[in-house]
Each structure stands twice: as C-alpha cells, then as structure tokens.
Amino acid sequence: MAAIAGTFTATGQSASFAPAVDPRGTNGGAFNVTLSGTFVGTVKLQRSFDNGTTWHDITAAGTAIAAFTTAVSEVWVEPEAGVIFRLNCTAYTSGTVTYRLGA
C-alpha cells in the first residue's frame, strides 16, 4: 500500500496503512513512522487485526511503547499479513504534527 501522509492540528486519526509483508519472510513488513514539526500533544501508533473495527495501542509487556510526544523517525516491523496501522492523535495542545507512514 502507498505511504500515507498528513498533519494533525487537533485530536483525530490518520488514514490506515497496510505494510507489504514479504511472503518469504525476509522483509518482515518493515515500514517507517515519522512525526515532525513543533507541537505539544501525543500521537499513538495503533494496529488493527480486523480491518479497522478494533484498534490496539502498540505495547510491550502491557505498557504503551509507541506514544510519541516529540518528533520521531522509527522503523517498525509487522510479520503478519492483513494487519493495518494508523496514527491516533489522542492529546493536542498546540502546533502542527506532520506525519508519514510508509515503506
């Protein structure tokens, strides 16, 4: 799927993004998550296993690990086909968050 990009100037969600998963398992569905700009807010990376009906925060051992409050550029890997991702701006005070999800 093509990369998605946009901005947040309030709370809300991005469109969804489906990373391409290599059927040989060598690429593992790697994709980039980039947030830039000067902002005060929180943006969470979330994933869905049911085509967007239910969204889950990314966690490790039950603790949110993809809740960003500053500019970041990360690489994430999703080995399972059919999983989609989005960004969710859950708190917003000021500024502009520019985002991109893509491979």
Side-chain angles (χ1 to χ4, degrees):
M1 177 179 255
I4 62 166
T7 59
F8 292 119
T9 55
T11 59
Q13 299 82 34
S14 70
S16 61
F17 169 77
V21 177
D22 184 342
R24 297 168 294 167
T26 57
N27 188 18
F31 65 98
N32 297 302
V33 178
T34 301
L35 302 177
S36 61
T38 302
F39 61 91
V40 177
T42 301
V43 179
K44 294 181 178 183
L45 179 64
Q46 298 179 316
R47 67 179 160 196
S48 176
F49 300 98
D50 58 9
N51 202 33
T53 299
T54 308
W55 290 96
H56 306 277
D57 293 344
I58 305 296
T59 62
T63 301
I65 60 169
F68 306 110
T69 58
T70 188
V72 297
S73 187
E74 303 277 343
V75 175
W76 291 86
V77 177
E78 177 54 60
E80 186 176 334
V83 178
I84 61 174
F85 290 80
R86 75 175 182 186
L87 294 170
N88 186 2
C89 184
T90 59
Y92 175 84
T93 301
S94 64
T96 299
V97 182
T98 301
Y99 65 83
R100 181 185 182 280
L101 288 176

